[in-house]
């Protein structure tokens, strides 16, 4: 029988030896710090920017993402979470308005026409919205990174309401739906995973920790890719596949040693599109000249 250490060495070598895959998608702009990206069903890629309030779009199989929605300076200063909702032909976006002490002022979650980019609706968000997921019935769930909460917008509602808030949810970041309708939420600083119920009516949701087969380093963007399967970007430089069963998650590392900080991942067919950004350079000399690329790597 092969020893576990030897098996790990083989698996690590396999990851390192993967073919480079398709060319990276260049973002046709400067001063770009992508925090989130998403893909529609046809393979169109959308990416945000913390450096300035722009949403970029790349057509299916394109190698360049161009500015698609550019916000006026007075209405938005950065774009955080993005989510393509094909069923409702909507692109959901978390934006921040300029604040008195810097670029991060009040947050909003906006709904845009997925084909035209025309804004349909805007919802004030009391907190630090980070990422979103949408249930089959159109309910939108969003993480509040700043206050350690999860909020919900029911179909037809005019405002988000809190369904879960707890100290263990501090730095709540990636969010996705499990097959049973519960939410899977990660915490960026804590490196934890939680299962959060969604059927609690107006009562606080149940929050249960999920055991993880290996430690996570700064888990960030997370997307559902199959039956209780998820793609996860780790800020520590890895892209993972998660398989969740009950209160346990098996982590399979697909790629490691990625440059800068992986912030988000979207899987299209057999390829993962990955955004990275070195946020330590924000506000530094030369930051306005930084260019960014969305890497594409094989995703089995």
């Amino acid at each position: 029988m092969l020893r576990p250490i030897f098996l790990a060495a083989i698996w690590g070598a396999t990851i390192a030896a993967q073919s480079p895959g398709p060319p990276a998608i260049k973002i046709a702009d400067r001063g770009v710090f992508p925090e989130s990206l998403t893909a529609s069903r046809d393979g169109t890629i959308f990416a945000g920017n913390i450096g300035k309030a722009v949403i970029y779009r790349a057509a299916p199989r394109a190698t360049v993402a161009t500015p698609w929605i550019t916000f006026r300076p007075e209405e938005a200063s950065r774009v955080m979470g993005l989510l393509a909702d094909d069923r409702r032909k909507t692109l959901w976006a978390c934006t921040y308005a300029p604040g008195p002490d810097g670029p991060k002022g009040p947050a909003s979650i906006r709904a845009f026409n997925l084909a035209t980019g025309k804004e349909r609706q805007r919802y004030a968000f009391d907190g630090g919205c980070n990422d979103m997921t949408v249930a089959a019935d159109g309910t939108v769930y969003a993480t509040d990174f700043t206050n350690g909460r999860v909020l919900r917008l029911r179909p037809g509602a005019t405002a988000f309401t809190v369904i879960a808030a707890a100290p263990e949810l501090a730095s709540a970041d990636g969010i996705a739906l499990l097959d049973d309708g519960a939410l899977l939420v990660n915490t960026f600083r804590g490196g934890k995973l939680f299962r959060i119920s969604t059927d609690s009516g107006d009562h606080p949701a149940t929050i249960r920790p999920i055991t993880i087969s290996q430690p996570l380093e700064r888990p960030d963007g997370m997307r559902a890719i199959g039956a209780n399967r998820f793609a996860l970007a780790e800020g520590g430089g890895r892209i993972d596949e998660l398989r969740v069963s009950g209160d346990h998650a098996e982590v399979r590392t697909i790629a490691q040693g990625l440059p800068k900080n992986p912030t988000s991942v979207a899987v299209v067919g057999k390829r993962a599109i990955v955004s990275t950004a070195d946020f330590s350079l924000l506000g530094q000399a030369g930051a306005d000249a930084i260019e960014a690329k969305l890497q594409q790597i094989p995703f089995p």
Side-chain angles (χ1 to χ4, degrees):
M1 178 180 292
L2 293 174
R3 293 180 176 274
I5 294 176
F6 184 55
L7 285 171
I10 293 175
W11 175 238
T14 301
I15 295 172
Q18 288 185 64
S19 61
I25 300 171
K26 179 182 178 181
I27 297 180
D29 199 358
R30 295 179 182 272
V32 179
F33 292 82
E35 196 280 335
S36 182
L37 62 81
T38 187
S40 61
R41 190 177 293 123
D42 68 356
T44 301
I45 307 299
F46 304 87
N49 188 355
I50 284 188
K52 49 190 170 183
V54 180
I55 296 174
Y56 306 91
R57 182 176 65 172
R61 295 290 179 179
T63 57
V64 177
T66 56
W68 185 52
I69 299 173
T70 301
F71 298 93
R72 296 191 303 272
E74 65 273 15
E75 69 169 337
S77 59
R78 58 176 54 181
V79 179
M80 299 284 286
L82 288 175
L83 183 70
D85 178 4
D86 285 281
R87 184 170 297 185
R88 278 152 289 275
K89 298 179 174 58
T90 298
L91 178 70
W92 297 92
C94 168
T95 66
Y96 285 81
D101 301 318
K104 194 172 179 180
S108 298
I109 291 182
R110 304 166 186 246
F112 298 93
N113 184 296
L114 190 60
T116 67
K118 182 179 180 180
E119 186 168 347
R120 290 173 167 169
Q121 189 61 269
R122 186 182 311 181
Y123 305 90
F125 193 91
D126 179 24
C129 64
N130 192 282
D131 211 347
M132 296 148 288
T133 191
V134 182
D137 68 355
T139 300
V140 181
Y141 298 94
T143 50
D144 178 355
F145 187 96
T146 305
N147 300 303
R149 305 183 301 177
V150 174
L151 286 79
R152 173 174 60 197
L153 178 74
R154 292 189 184 276
T158 58
F160 279 84
T161 57
V162 177
I163 65 165
E168 57 264 39
L169 293 179
S171 72
D173 199 309
I175 183 170
L177 280 157
L178 291 156
D179 280 8
D180 62 3
L183 294 167
L184 181 67
V185 174
N186 66 50
T187 58
F188 182 78
R189 297 195 182 104
K192 304 296 184 184
L193 284 177
F194 295 93
R195 171 189 289 270
I196 299 176
S197 63
T198 58
D199 58 354
S200 56
D202 295 327
H203 303 288
T206 301
I207 304 169
R208 286 160 43 188
I210 291 179
T211 59
I212 311 170
S213 64
Q214 68 183 46
L216 300 177
E217 184 179 0
R218 304 197 304 277
D220 206 321
M222 181 170 61
R223 302 295 185 206
I225 56 173
N228 287 331
R229 293 176 60 233
F230 305 87
L232 173 68
E234 290 191 61
R238 294 191 292 266
I239 299 298
D240 304 317
E241 177 197 49
L242 305 181
R243 290 182 180 265
V244 179
S245 177
D247 291 338
H248 177 79
E250 191 69 25
V251 182
R252 177 190 179 195
T253 298
I254 302 299
Q256 58 188 348
L258 297 176
K260 300 178 182 177
N261 303 305
T263 59
S264 192
V265 58
V267 176
V268 178
K270 294 293 185 179
R271 58 195 172 105
I273 297 89
V274 180
S275 59
T276 61
D278 187 350
F279 296 129
S280 68
L281 300 178
L282 269 172
Q284 303 297 314
D288 291 344
I290 288 176
E291 296 180 333
K293 294 181 179 180
L294 307 177
Q295 297 186 61
Q296 300 193 77
I297 60 175
F299 196 97

